[in-house]
Amino acid sequence: MAQETPLPSFSSSARAGPLSAAVLKTLPKIDLHRHLEGSLRLETLVEIARKYDLDVPAEPDVLRPHVQMLDDDPTPSNFLSKFAVLRRFYCAPEVIGRLAYEAVVDAARDNVCYLELRFSPQALASQVDFPLDEVMEWVIAGTRQASEEAAIDVGLVVSLVRHEPVAIGRQVAEIAFDHFTSHNGASRIVGLDLAGDELNHPAEDFGDLFQEARRIGMGITVHAGEWSGPETVRTAVEKLGAARIGHGVRAVESEDVLQIVRERGVTLEVCLISNLQSGVVYDLRDHPLSQLLAAGVRATLNTDDPAVSDSSLTQEYEASVRLLGLRNDDLRQMNLNAAEAAFLSEEKRRDLVRRFRQLWPPDL
């Protein structure tokens, strides 16, 4: 892990009543669910488009609607369409390394002290048919440099894509397994994820790969219960061995699934703003995060795709306070939940929990 972030000090006035957006920004935070492919700076994309003469708009205002969600059409198809455009930018090794570097630096600027950044090597490799193992090395190098320079702890989670052939998933997973087992943690590959079209492509097809990941000690997280119902959460937990669920908010629709999540200590990686923009909810005031917390579920708050959403983790926290009425102790508990669910060794996880108990005191 990188050097520990110094403990900040807070005035007593900051602790009276709901925390303001300014104070929320200064608070140290944990983000367990952030996609590299959705964390690309608009100004960097414009620069890449011009330098490499890409067949995409090279003016910020013209490019923006192609890569960011605006106020129209909050649907899964529109949200996912941004990533088809973003894939065109992964055109050189130095570009991939730079994008990974900037994603980590931007998280640190929002006072994220521990970040798990997930990425799909096959997505980054697709434009130029780069070797998957080299793509993984470029991402590792970029994030390691940013981690050291910005004093932020970073773990990398490799995402398989459920609507792609299992054979491709196996190829990606085996490279991830090799990094996890052969580099003694130095590579910072910490977990395996399953993302993609959960409505039309069952997770069970990837079960063997996730059981292998679990056997060697990798962290397991699976996108489920976002655009599909609660049964996908059950499948992710029971068939793939998921310790964490990406999103998982539809679990609230089934008491049986909620019971499974509670009994097994599964952590939900909740992302408010992307849920609104992709049509999971149509009004953030109706988001089930409050219900999940009240039901005793171990929920956390995360960004998902901050550049696509034009958002930050601070804004996620602000929305939870302003629109859902969450209290300071709710935010504190979600950070502790995140620390306890981090894909770290037992010793490093205990250290992270200890740090965040100090960083978020009970009287905050």
Side-chain angles (χ1 to χ4, degrees):
M1 296 174 72
Q3 183 178 0
E4 289 191 2
T5 305
L7 301 182
S9 60
F10 304 103
S11 67
S12 58
S13 61
R15 303 183 183 189
L19 300 175
S20 67
V23 173
L24 286 170
K25 183 173 178 63
T26 67
L27 285 168
K29 295 172 281 288
I30 296 175
D31 194 339
L32 297 180
H33 189 120
R34 182 180 298 221
H35 292 266
L36 168 58
E37 296 91 331
S39 303
L40 313 184
R41 297 176 185 172
L42 182 64
E43 60 269 28
T44 297
L45 297 180
V46 170
E47 181 183 330
I48 293 168
R50 292 172 178 170
K51 180 176 180 179
Y52 293 91
D53 194 25
L54 302 184
D55 185 22
V56 295
E59 297 297 329
D61 291 342
V62 182
L63 178 61
R64 187 184 305 276
H66 295 280
V67 297
Q68 285 186 355
M69 289 297 294
L70 303 179
D71 294 331
D72 61 322
D73 195 19
T75 60
S77 59
N78 188 33
F79 192 85
L80 292 174
S81 72
K82 311 305 179 186
F83 296 91
V85 179
L86 289 168
R87 282 191 175 201
R88 302 182 194 178
F89 290 87
Y90 313 136
C91 56
E94 60 271 19
V95 167
I96 292 173
R98 174 183 175 179
L99 295 174
Y101 173 90
E102 290 181 352
V104 173
V105 169
D106 289 346
R109 288 175 177 170
D110 195 34
N111 220 4
V112 175
C113 296
Y114 178 76
L115 170 69
E116 288 186 6
L117 185 68
R118 61 191 67 193
F119 69 107
S120 300
Q122 62 272 41
L124 300 174
S126 63
Q127 189 65 21
V128 189
D129 197 25
F130 293 125
L132 292 171
D133 56 340
E134 293 185 17
V135 168
M136 203 168 297
E137 292 288 353
W138 301 334
V139 172
I140 289 168
T143 55
R144 181 183 292 129
Q145 180 184 355
S147 172
E148 293 170 354
E149 292 180 7
I152 174 176
D153 299 330
V154 182
L156 292 172
V157 176
V158 174
S159 290
L160 310 185
V161 181
R162 66 209 306 160
H163 56 262
E164 294 180 346
V166 175
I168 294 177
R170 177 168 295 281
Q171 185 180 1
V172 173
E174 288 178 352
I175 297 170
F177 296 163
D178 179 65
H179 275 281
F180 182 78
T181 58
S182 301
H183 294 263
N184 196 29
S187 70
R188 303 175 193 245
I189 299 293
V190 298
L192 195 68
D193 172 40
L194 184 64
D197 181 2
E198 67 184 75
L199 286 171
N200 300 302
H201 296 269
E204 293 94 326
D205 294 347
F206 294 82
D208 291 345
L209 293 176
F210 280 82
Q211 292 303 329
E212 173 65 11
R214 187 179 182 187
R215 185 187 66 78
I216 66 175
M218 290 184 79
I220 302 297
T221 179
V222 175
H223 283 67
E226 181 184 12
W227 296 318
S228 59
E231 287 304 311
T232 58
V233 176
R234 183 198 300 271
T235 298
V237 174
E238 294 183 342
K239 299 299 176 66
L240 274 68
R244 297 190 339 221
I245 298 293
H247 303 285
V249 295
R250 299 285 294 277
V252 77
E253 298 171 12
S254 168
E255 184 54 44
D256 287 345
V257 173
L258 281 178
Q259 184 173 350
I260 291 170
V261 169
R262 283 193 301 261
E263 288 180 350
R264 302 200 183 192
V266 175
T267 299
L268 302 188
E269 305 159 353
V270 177
C271 311
L272 295 177
I273 294 173
S274 75
N275 282 175
L276 176 68
Q277 294 177 337
S278 64
V280 177
V281 296
Y282 297 102
D283 188 325
L284 275 184
R285 288 167 291 193
D286 298 327
H287 195 282
L289 175 57
S290 299
Q291 294 171 259
L292 291 166
L293 291 171
V297 171
R298 297 167 60 86
T300 63
L301 201 50
N302 311 274
T303 53
D304 201 13
D305 299 288
V308 171
S309 294
D310 193 21
S311 64
S312 67
L313 191 53
T314 293
Q315 289 172 291
E316 298 278 348
Y317 277 66
E318 183 184 9
S320 75
V321 171
R322 182 168 51 87
L323 299 174
L324 298 179
L326 295 194
R327 302 164 301 179
N328 301 347
D329 56 348
D330 294 319
L331 304 185
R332 177 180 186 271
Q333 186 58 56
M334 285 192 290
N335 263 288
L336 291 175
N337 291 344
E340 291 168 353
F343 291 154
L344 293 167
S345 68
E346 195 65 40
E347 179 183 359
K348 289 183 177 180
R349 191 182 306 114
R350 284 197 303 267
D351 181 61
L352 187 63
V353 172
R354 175 191 61 79
R355 289 175 59 198
F356 268 80
R357 287 192 185 278
Q358 295 175 293
L359 292 165
W360 282 75
D363 59 343
L364 182 67

